[in-house]
Amino acid sequence: MPTSPSDERPSTSARPANTGTFGAETIERFLHTSYDQFAGRAVIANYLPLLAERFARQRLRALARIEGKDGTGVPIVLFLCVHNAGRSQMALGFFTRLAGERALGWSGGTEPGELINPAVVEVMHERGIDITGEFPKPWTSEIVQAADVAVTMGCGDACPVYPGKRYLDWDLDDPEGKTLEQIRPIRDDIERRVRALLADIGVPAG
């Protein structure tokens, strides 16, 4: 069960991302709203400031892309499912490993869970990919708008839709409640799809 959220909100002194791109007021707003996204469901309250800072970093990167302040030019792909605890985390793990610095991957959920599915962590470890540093998180409007491609996996009408955005819908079984033997074929299917997506957007798979 989630613990009670800590009263210690993150401070702008951390300067989570995009230093020099956005003013302190914008950074503080993103830190606080990111904190609020996790406050009601944190498993370990002491991690709240860290989660908020990491999520704010991603959101500010997205805002910079939308406003033309991100000069990297790398493609951004967003993987969305329901709890951001299984399918989308596996897809992000493969995408990050295969794309390297040639593309940027994000993930999110329409109803984020508390923790990544331990069985999913294990089957990804079998492929030499460590996703223990990731965490279930929601999507926000700037994150979806900044992505070049949004890949949806089972979230149906709850997935965000923005005109002009490229969407792909991957029909994949939910690993929730499944054994390792049942999850492995889902994992392998996701890897094939990620490799095909990288080829489609012109990013060599490393």
Side-chain angles (χ1 to χ4, degrees):
M1 295 294 292
T3 61
S4 300
S6 168
D7 291 333
E8 183 184 352
R9 287 176 174 264
S11 167
T12 55
S13 62
R15 305 294 290 181
N18 304 90
T19 300
T21 302
F22 298 108
E25 182 178 342
T26 299
I27 294 174
E28 181 177 3
R29 174 166 56 87
F30 272 67
L31 279 169
H32 287 176
T33 55
S34 295
Y35 180 96
D36 291 340
Q37 294 274 9
F38 296 99
R41 57 184 179 83
V43 176
I44 303 176
N46 289 341
Y47 288 169
L48 273 171
L50 175 61
L51 294 179
E53 181 181 334
R54 289 181 60 188
F55 193 46
R57 185 188 303 275
Q58 180 175 309
R59 294 177 61 202
L60 287 166
R61 174 74 179 271
L63 183 62
R65 173 63 66 94
I66 294 169
E67 295 184 353
K69 299 174 181 177
D70 176 16
T72 63
V74 299
I76 297 176
V77 175
L78 174 63
F79 299 99
L80 294 167
C81 67
V82 179
H83 301 303
N84 192 215
R87 291 164 290 186
S88 57
Q89 293 288 359
M90 286 191 282
L92 177 63
F94 280 119
F95 188 89
T96 301
R97 164 66 66 84
L98 295 169
E101 296 182 356
R102 297 176 294 277
L104 181 61
W106 292 333
S107 70
T110 55
E111 300 175 16
E114 295 178 353
L115 297 169
I116 296 178
N117 185 333
V120 165
V121 172
E122 186 167 344
V123 298
M124 291 299 287
H125 181 71
E126 292 174 354
R127 299 302 301 273
I129 298 176
D130 182 3
I131 60 172
T132 56
E134 292 296 328
F135 54 97
K137 48 195 168 299
W139 60 270
T140 63
S141 60
E142 65 273 354
I143 286 174
V144 180
Q145 292 179 65
D148 297 291
V149 181
V151 180
T152 61
M153 310 175 194
C155 45
D157 293 339
C159 282
V161 177
Y162 288 85
K165 182 67 55 187
R166 182 185 177 192
Y167 287 89
L168 298 174
D169 184 54
W170 290 358
D171 186 11
L172 297 162
D173 287 339
D174 188 346
E176 178 74 21
K178 290 182 168 56
T179 65
L180 296 178
E181 289 74 15
Q182 293 171 321
I183 296 174
R184 289 183 184 114
I186 303 173
R187 174 202 62 192
D188 296 342
D189 187 10
I190 288 174
E191 181 182 7
R192 288 190 291 269
R193 291 172 186 261
V194 168
R195 287 183 178 275
L197 173 58
L198 286 169
D200 185 48
I201 63 176
V203 175

